[in-house]
Amino acid sequence: KIRKSLEIETIWQQTVDGLGTMLGLDRCLVCDYSQPMQTVTVVAEYHQDTVQPCLGTTFDLLAKPDFLNTLDTLEPVISDFDQSDFEHNLEKTGNKRPYTVLTVATCYQNAPNSFLVLPQPPNRPWQPFEIELIQELTDQVGTAIAHAKLFSDSKTMTQELRTKTQA
């Protein structure tokens, strides 16, 4: 379905839903990225009912060296966090379970255009085959995102040209 869509929101949501379901994750996020950004926002999320949603949460890139490392190297990065890093309503849950977080960039022509954040409890470490599978998917997702952004930009330009010619 990702390859057939030119709607970026659909691509983002299908990506997190598919990975979250396939890998049995508690949460899977996608953050939009374009250079040069100082912050990134969660634009799509898959999550179990046991965790608080964080759609729309903004992260300061300077405070997230793992995110920066992923964007700089375009390689997957594994880091350890507690769940409060992803929940702004921690008071409701009182839950500070530790997580191992895999961060993987989606790219087009070696330029990142978003990245995935995949937390997992530390008692279930990321397996090499899972990381490889996710990398294969992010290659396709990165291309789909680039095409969707180009399509959106061309629609905007077409509309602007129509407006100018009618004026």
Side-chain angles (χ1 to χ4, degrees):
K1 292 182 181 179
I2 290 172
R3 289 185 192 171
K4 294 179 183 178
S5 180
L6 286 175
E7 293 180 17
I8 197 159
E9 292 83 5
T10 301
I11 295 166
W12 286 331
Q13 194 61 53
Q14 287 180 349
T15 299
V16 294
D17 288 347
L19 281 172
T21 301
M22 180 180 69
L23 297 171
L25 301 173
D26 287 347
R27 177 189 311 278
C28 181
L29 311 173
V30 88
C31 295
D32 188 23
Y33 179 77
S34 60
Q35 297 177 338
M37 294 176 79
Q38 300 299 316
T39 61
V40 292
T41 302
V42 176
V43 293
E45 175 184 27
Y46 165 90
H47 68 89
Q48 298 293 330
D49 293 337
T50 56
V51 296
Q52 291 291 319
C54 64
L55 185 66
T57 299
T58 299
F59 295 103
D60 180 355
L61 283 176
L62 296 176
K64 295 287 189 185
D66 55 321
F67 292 4
L68 283 174
N69 192 11
T70 298
L71 294 168
D72 289 342
T73 66
L74 304 181
E75 293 294 326
V77 173
I78 296 176
S79 307
D80 292 320
F81 294 97
D82 71 40
Q83 193 169 358
S84 64
D85 288 321
F86 299 103
E87 294 188 0
H88 44 284
N89 294 324
L90 186 62
E91 307 82 42
K92 290 182 182 177
T93 65
N95 189 353
K96 287 191 177 186
R97 292 188 307 180
Y99 269 75
T100 299
V101 178
L102 175 65
T103 309
V104 185
T106 64
C107 303
Y108 180 69
Q109 297 180 343
N110 292 320
N113 54 20
S114 72
F115 60 92
L116 300 175
V117 181
L118 302 104
Q120 186 148 263
N123 61 346
R124 190 187 172 301
W126 287 103
Q127 300 299 314
F129 78 90
E130 291 173 316
I131 295 170
E132 188 175 319
L133 176 69
I134 293 166
Q135 281 184 283
E136 291 293 325
L137 177 68
T138 57
D139 288 345
Q140 294 177 24
V141 170
T143 300
I145 289 170
H147 290 172
K149 285 182 177 183
L150 288 171
F151 181 69
S152 176
D153 290 348
S154 70
K155 282 176 46 178
T156 301
M157 280 199 282
T158 301
Q159 186 59 38
E160 287 173 2
L161 288 171
R162 282 188 187 141
T163 303
K164 286 181 181 180
T165 59
Q166 291 173 356

